[in-house]
Amino acid sequence: MRGTEFTEMSAFAAVAEHRSFAKAANKLGVARSTLSQNLRSLEDRLGVRLLNRTTRSVSLTQAGERLLTRLRPVLAELAAATGDLDGFRKRPSGLLRVVVQPPVASLLMGPLLGRFLEEYPDITLDLSVVRMPTDIVSAGFDAGIRFGEQVDRDMIAMRVMNEARFVVVAAPKYLARHPAPKTPADLQHHNCIRSMLPNGTVFGWEFQKKDRRVHAKVNGTLIVDDIDLSIQAVLGGVGLAYLLHDYIAADIARGRLVPVLEDWTPRLSGFFLYYSSRRQMTPALRALVDFLKVETKRRGISPTAAPSTRISRNYVLLPRRFKTPAPRRTPS
């Protein structure tokens, strides 16, 4: 690939990822006019339109989608190759791209960001928060953090948070008007606050008591796609909500929320840092792995603990179905 071709491909990938010429130009450190010229040259050379442009939006054509799919892993490998050169330097540096699910962002990474970036000032951390699982290899991420049950078996994984559990909660004023459910079947008589996933799926309410697993069909007058709004609604007495315990532990401790169906609470393995076993680890990623390993041990968590397999294979956990991972390598 000639230098001009690489420049054009990099320009296209940046615009496609950001859906914006302005943001792409800022990321690449070039003028917007230069970026536009690179894209025109690429389309002219290939003889096909890659982007649909208007004054307000940028979208990919079918040809552009196909090219981006093939281009992402190539650029990611190139970034990893150049990142390997950082090993010759004293301190880890360069761009580190990590994708996490919302609970990880607020409960783990948020509180640790200051210390990590202070310890590694030459690393630029690009942290993306997404609700749906992401293919880190094709999307160009160095690593991700998600529920252990969702990590593909060909990844290297390391536990970074303890077991997680979902609980059904209600405000005291709601329970003053409605008797608390005794079994998941009783939920059909309650107003349940449901959560909508980005793919349009309504988040399911799964329960487990010993070896018995139940998927409860719930209904209600409110569907939301934001966790904070769901918490506000249940605090306001709208109805019952099915939430990750860590999000609302403080509200439960203060008596603002009351757990119900506690003997039906399902447990999950918790969150794991994972990255591809097929790539050479960059110094920046090694720094993050080592940093989180120390942090997890400080919290009394074993980084090598395997994901739990006690929950149902079709547990609705972003997405509806997932593969239970087989034992896999943990970082040394």
Side-chain angles (χ1 to χ4, degrees):
M1 182 182 291
R2 297 190 301 270
T4 54
E5 292 176 342
F6 175 77
T7 300
E8 293 168 358
M9 291 291 186
S10 298
F12 163 72
V15 174
E17 292 286 356
H18 290 280
R19 297 296 197 273
S20 166
F21 276 77
K23 291 180 181 179
N26 183 60
K27 178 182 178 180
L28 296 176
V30 300
R32 186 171 176 177
S33 58
T34 301
L35 203 62
S36 297
Q37 179 58 48
N38 287 333
L39 264 296
R40 284 195 296 271
S41 298
L42 179 61
E43 289 177 330
D44 289 344
R45 182 165 55 81
L46 297 178
V48 63
R49 177 177 286 276
L50 301 174
L51 298 171
N52 293 315
R53 314 164 178 82
T54 69
T55 55
R56 295 186 177 182
S57 66
V58 176
S59 62
L60 289 168
T61 64
Q62 186 176 1
E65 289 279 5
R66 180 172 298 183
L67 177 60
L68 183 62
T69 299
R70 298 291 299 273
L71 198 57
R72 274 173 172 160
V74 175
L75 292 176
E77 288 296 332
L78 183 60
T82 56
D84 285 347
L85 299 178
D86 289 343
F88 292 100
R89 301 176 59 182
K90 247 186 170 183
R91 297 179 64 85
S93 63
L95 180 65
L96 177 63
R97 299 191 68 217
V98 181
V99 59
V100 303
Q101 291 177 319
V104 178
S106 59
L107 301 174
L108 177 69
M109 295 304 292
L112 297 178
L113 285 177
R115 283 202 287 118
F116 177 76
L117 294 175
E118 182 179 3
E119 189 170 338
Y120 299 101
D122 296 327
I123 291 178
T124 299
L125 181 61
D126 181 347
L127 192 64
S128 295
V129 182
V130 298
R131 296 176 67 191
M132 302 297 289
T134 302
D135 183 340
I136 59 171
V137 175
S138 63
F141 288 99
D142 298 289
I145 304 178
R146 69 167 66 155
F147 278 108
E149 289 82 1
Q150 296 175 324
V151 178
D152 291 333
R153 61 184 63 195
D154 62 344
M155 293 284 168
I156 297 176
M158 180 184 81
R159 179 186 291 279
V160 292
M161 293 178 69
N162 272 323
E163 283 189 334
R165 62 190 178 102
F166 281 84
V167 294
V168 179
V169 291
K173 60 182 176 182
Y174 177 86
L175 294 177
R177 304 191 308 267
H178 307 276
K182 302 299 182 185
T183 69
D186 295 336
L187 292 172
Q188 62 184 313
H189 305 300
H190 285 268
N191 194 36
C192 297
I193 302 165
R194 294 170 289 167
S195 296
M196 179 76 73
L197 302 179
N199 64 358
T201 301
V202 175
F203 193 84
W205 291 28
E206 297 273 342
F207 299 93
Q208 179 174 337
K209 188 173 185 179
K210 296 183 179 179
D211 294 330
R212 185 183 177 191
R213 300 184 179 98
V214 175
H215 175 78
K217 185 177 182 180
V218 299
N219 292 290
T221 57
L222 179 63
I223 301 175
V224 299
D225 63 358
D226 179 79
I227 185 66
D228 291 328
L229 186 56
S230 182
I231 293 174
Q232 290 177 30
V234 69
L235 286 169
V238 172
L240 299 173
Y242 184 84
L243 299 166
L244 193 64
H245 180 269
D246 287 345
Y247 271 138
I248 51 174
D251 292 310
I252 293 175
R254 295 171 187 162
R256 300 175 64 193
L257 290 176
V258 179
V260 298
L261 299 176
E262 289 189 272
D263 53 344
W264 284 91
T265 298
R267 292 182 179 273
L268 295 90
S269 67
F271 292 96
F272 282 68
L273 172 75
Y274 66 100
Y275 50 92
S276 175
S277 61
R278 298 188 298 274
R279 282 190 192 167
Q280 179 70 31
M281 185 186 295
T282 65
L285 178 55
R286 168 53 68 185
L288 179 64
V289 170
D290 291 343
F291 179 87
L292 290 178
K293 188 180 293 185
V294 171
E295 178 62 24
T296 54
K297 288 181 178 179
R298 186 183 68 82
R299 297 185 179 192
I301 302 170
S302 173
T304 59
S308 167
T309 58
R310 286 182 292 166
I311 65 171
S312 170
R313 280 179 177 267
N314 67 348
Y315 195 91
V316 183
L317 246 195
L318 322 175
R320 181 75 173 92
R321 295 178 177 84
F322 58 83
K323 295 180 289 184
T324 303
R328 53 184 171 272
R329 293 190 295 158
T330 55
S332 57

